[in-house]
Amino acid sequence: MPDQPLPIHEHALESLRIIRETMDRAGSFTSIPGWGGFLIGFTAIAACALAQRAVSDPQAWLRVWLIEAGVAAAIAAVTMTRKWRRTETPFMSSVARRFFVSYFAPLIAGAALTFTLVHRGSFDPLPAVWLLLYGTAFVSSGAFSIRVIPLMGICFMLLGVLAALVRLPVGNLVLGAGFGGLHIIFGFIIARRYGG
Amino acid sequence: MARTAAATTNRKPIVEPQVPDFDRLIHERTRLSIVSALAVNPTLSFNELKAILKTTDGNVSVHTRKLEEANYLVCRKSFEGRMPRTEYSLTAAGRRALEKYLGHMEALIKATRKGSE
């Protein structure tokens, strides 16, 4: 027996679904590496533990976190490229360009502030600066990406506010909670819900 | 078979909604996707459209040409070094057509819901 044709209202629902899904896919940069973020969370917790031991020597403390930043960037680059290839999404599309501009602008501001603060020997504000600007990067770039990204940014910013109220030994632990804990939680959510 | 017939006769009569005169040009799945993708991006290249739609070169080519002929989108060809680049963007007429089509689909769903109440 041949298949019954779809009732007209089901055609309409199907058309609305096509429009919504295409707009979501075309308007969002979706190559956010969930498992990459998850892994970065663990390297950040290790960095936090190492940095805590060096907290009495701020230069050594800073070196640990700068190395961790390099490790995290490498993990993110590799896992993002793999996800992009697997899902065959356009990598340097106009939406990806908007995502990266919004993402890197606060990070460049963070690098400039880090340089100034370290140059003046002021280490206590660094955890707050990093968390606030990293969070800002996700809130702003999240407009061009999956819905969970701005939420993750807000969580980083809240921890940044907390870090602004404490001295470096406690600030280091807040950094560990942010770069470690939040990356693990949100990395897992992204990996499970958004394809790896 | 008899049971099916009985079930059919017991069923509540379906009030068919009046089918609105919607735009058949963008009703087609690929063309609807092209217009929707361009509605959220100022421009998209041929390869970007192909990747978003997960379809073939030929398919993108045929359907963008039809939309272009209807003045729903404009196509700009240029060179990036030695590589040709084709970019599409939605015209005001294309955006209006999508909005009108969306309105028709929503009206149709509402009419069906009203009819089945």
Side-chain angles (χ1 to χ4, degrees):
Chain A
M1 197 174 153
D3 284 344
Q4 290 283 321
L6 275 179
I8 189 81
H9 72 280
E10 284 189 25
H11 271 298
L13 285 170
E14 172 70 3
S15 296
L16 292 183
R17 189 187 59 77
I18 292 171
I19 294 169
R20 192 178 57 244
E21 285 182 4
T22 310
M23 283 182 168
D24 275 354
R25 203 163 53 238
S28 302
F29 177 70
T30 54
S31 298
I32 306 292
W35 291 123
F38 189 72
L39 184 61
I40 288 168
F42 286 101
T43 61
I45 286 176
C48 175
L50 276 175
Q52 195 66 24
R53 286 193 201 168
V55 83
S56 55
D57 175 3
Q59 292 285 354
W61 172 86
L62 178 66
R63 271 196 297 278
V64 173
W65 279 110
L66 289 182
I67 291 168
E68 165 58 17
V71 170
I75 294 171
V78 170
T79 51
M80 186 177 281
T81 309
R82 287 181 62 175
K83 185 169 180 177
W84 155 62
R85 284 192 179 144
R86 200 179 60 249
T87 54
E88 295 176 4
T89 43
F91 191 63
M92 263 305 140
S93 61
S94 50
V95 74
R97 277 194 293 274
R98 276 178 275 162
F99 174 88
F100 283 117
V101 167
S102 313
Y103 178 75
F104 281 114
L107 296 192
I108 292 167
L113 277 172
T114 300
F115 178 80
T116 308
L117 289 166
V118 169
H119 189 66
R120 292 179 184 182
S122 179
F123 289 84
D124 280 344
L126 285 180
V129 167
W130 293 346
L131 287 164
L132 282 168
L133 288 169
Y134 191 63
T136 308
F138 280 124
V139 171
S140 57
S141 62
F144 310 107
S145 190
I146 50 182
R147 283 177 201 162
V148 73
I149 296 295
L151 177 65
M152 177 164 83
I154 290 168
C155 292
F156 269 101
M157 291 182 80
L158 289 174
L159 283 181
V161 171
L162 180 65
L165 305 173
V166 295
R167 303 294 301 268
L168 192 58
V170 182
N172 181 64
L173 296 176
V174 182
L175 265 186
F179 290 132
L182 291 181
H183 271 138
I184 289 172
I185 294 167
F186 283 97
F188 186 74
I189 293 169
I190 293 165
R192 294 301 297 268
R193 288 196 191 164
Y194 300 96
Chain B
M1 189 72 182
R3 204 165 51 183
T4 318
T8 312
T9 45
N10 289 339
R11 214 180 276 160
K12 219 169 141 186
I14 296 168
V15 181
E16 280 294 335
Q18 210 176 1
V19 180
D21 181 25
F22 58 79
D23 188 339
R24 297 208 172 259
L25 186 73
I26 60 170
H27 183 60
E28 195 282 330
R29 192 189 176 105
T30 309
R31 291 196 287 271
L32 184 58
S33 298
I34 292 172
V35 173
S36 305
L38 286 168
V40 288
N41 283 286
T43 59
L44 284 174
S45 72
F46 184 91
N47 286 334
E48 286 169 358
L49 266 179
K50 196 177 87 171
I52 291 165
L53 270 58
K54 293 187 170 58
T55 187
T56 59
D57 284 14
N59 224 3
V60 175
S61 204
V62 166
H63 291 296
T64 48
R65 200 174 308 133
K66 280 192 179 165
L67 290 166
E68 217 185 321
E69 283 165 6
N71 193 31
Y72 283 180
L73 54 90
V74 283
C75 166
R76 263 181 300 272
K77 288 179 194 284
S78 59
F79 278 89
E80 241 180 28
R82 288 184 165 190
M83 297 290 285
R85 184 179 166 87
T86 308
E87 274 191 336
Y88 298 97
S89 49
L90 205 59
T91 61
R95 196 170 290 278
R96 273 197 306 273
L98 178 65
E99 282 163 7
K100 202 172 163 191
Y101 179 82
L102 265 169
H104 276 149
M105 292 300 114
E106 280 165 2
L108 195 57
I109 293 165
K110 266 186 204 159
T112 313
R113 283 189 184 145
K114 239 183 206 173
S116 60
E117 271 169 17

